[in-house]
Amino acid sequence: PPQISCSALRSKHIARLSALAGLLLCAAAFGVESPSAEVSMPVSFSEIPGLPHTAAQRKIRYGDAPSQVGQLWLPRSGERPAPLVVFFHGGCWLKEYAADHVFPLASQLTTDGFAVWVPEYRRVGEDGGGWPGSFEDARAALARVAALSLPDIDYRRVLLAGHSAGGHLALWLAAQEPESESAKVTLRGAVGLAPITDLRAYAAGDNSCEQVTTRFMGGSPDTLPDRYRLASPAALPVVVPTVLLRGTLDGIVPGGQLETFPDSPMLERRTLAGAGHFDWIHPQTAAYDLFRKAVDAMLADAGDSP
């Protein structure tokens, strides 16, 4: 598979993130003015799966296991190559929650001018789910979409994103060294939507999602400290521009998950007042608009947007 590399110049990353910080600060201070912000926050998970969406153009396998498959939404025919958002879904890493609940989000991003790759991955309750299988799947899914070399996709502008447990995988993947040796894909950044970042701290909680952590990791932080360190984005270097977004009314991922992430000139944290855990994946909320602004700022070249 082709190489997945970071942008060459760190100074360009920092300049882009500085502009992004100003954009997000304005959005938080003055509200997000967009016609898509039609739904009041917070929203519940039950409001998400029934949202309308378009079907993905392609369903592509990247392995032999039932869950090693992804859905690819492409821009409308005739449009110039679009930047690519690789989006990992959440659901406490459990097999009971599949990728279909983020299809409305993927569909909206495609309408907004992006190509979107939503990989399924092996989860807790499936053979190979958890450590290390879910992590291997994240790597393989990114390599697979890169290997397609589709003319509809601008592989110079690729972003990793994910929600909740999927945010954990996206941020983890952004910190990994590239694996391959052929054609390059430029990773412009990573966005975590209500992301789980510190697995040791998350395992210490008692909500239903936090309680899955030891099953996902195959043991407790006390018995597997090195594994938890390798698997926690908060314990890994920030190597691309990274934005962490969370709502003040999130009862699933505590605010400390953002704060344990180490400070970096390439890191921006933002908390949105009145937003809950699931607002980020509902494409008609102010939370989605803030996410979209972060994506725009990371993927757009100067004077160039989708």
Side-chain angles (χ1 to χ4, degrees):
Q3 182 178 2
I4 299 158
S5 63
C6 301
S7 298
L9 298 177
R10 185 173 181 270
S11 60
K12 288 179 64 179
H13 282 332
I14 295 173
R16 184 179 292 117
L17 193 63
S18 296
L20 174 62
L23 182 153
L24 293 178
L25 182 61
C26 290
F30 301 109
V32 180
E33 296 182 5
S34 169
S36 67
E38 300 168 352
V39 173
S40 297
M41 303 183 299
V43 300
S44 66
F45 178 75
S46 63
E47 297 175 65
I48 304 296
L51 293 173
H53 64 273
T54 58
Q57 281 86 350
R58 298 183 64 171
K59 186 175 182 179
I60 302 164
R61 299 208 62 81
Y62 65 87
D64 296 330
S67 290
Q68 291 175 320
V69 62
Q71 307 267 355
L72 181 64
W73 282 258
L74 296 170
R76 290 187 296 273
S77 178
E79 292 187 351
R80 62 187 175 83
L84 175 67
V85 177
V86 178
F87 196 92
F88 292 91
H89 74 87
C92 307
W93 306 288
L94 289 167
K95 71 173 183 178
E96 287 80 7
Y97 299 98
D100 53 0
H101 72 272
V102 299
F103 289 177
L105 173 74
S107 178
Q108 182 62 51
L109 284 170
T110 305
T111 299
D112 290 345
F114 302 93
V116 185
W117 170 239
V118 177
E120 189 55 275
Y121 52 93
R122 290 172 291 173
R123 303 175 304 290
V124 173
E126 298 179 89
D127 289 342
W131 176 277
S134 300
F135 298 81
E136 294 169 349
D137 287 355
R139 280 186 179 273
L142 181 55
R144 181 70 180 98
V145 72
L148 294 174
S149 298
L150 296 174
D152 303 289
I153 295 175
D154 182 353
Y155 289 99
R156 301 167 302 171
R157 293 189 290 162
V158 177
L159 175 77
L160 299 176
H163 173 246
S164 193
H168 160 255
L169 288 175
L171 295 171
W172 175 86
L173 185 57
Q176 303 307 302
E177 290 292 330
E179 285 190 316
S180 56
E181 302 175 351
S182 52
K184 293 182 179 179
V185 169
T186 304
L187 181 60
R188 292 298 185 94
V191 181
L193 306 177
I196 299 165
T197 68
D198 183 339
L199 295 182
R200 171 179 283 275
Y202 204 66
D206 59 5
N207 73 38
S208 59
C209 197
E210 290 169 322
Q211 291 174 2
V212 178
T213 312
T214 56
R215 295 171 59 196
F216 178 65
M217 293 300 296
S220 73
D222 291 335
T223 58
L224 299 168
D226 291 340
R227 181 180 297 184
Y228 273 74
R229 178 181 55 81
L230 292 173
S232 294
L236 302 175
V238 179
V239 297
V240 296
T242 299
V243 175
L244 309 178
L245 301 174
R246 180 184 176 274
T248 57
L249 301 183
D250 191 331
I252 295 177
V253 175
Q257 287 291 308
L258 270 61
E259 299 308 318
T260 57
F261 225 93
D263 291 331
S264 166
M266 290 195 290
L267 176 69
E268 173 72 13
R269 302 177 184 89
R270 184 59 55 195
T271 301
L272 182 60
H277 187 69
F278 300 105
D279 300 49
W280 304 103
I281 56 173
H282 192 306
Q284 295 175 328
T285 63
Y288 171 81
D289 288 336
L290 190 57
F291 166 50
R292 167 63 198 275
K293 288 178 184 293
V295 172
D296 281 345
M298 282 186 170
L299 291 181
D301 292 322
D304 183 25
S305 60

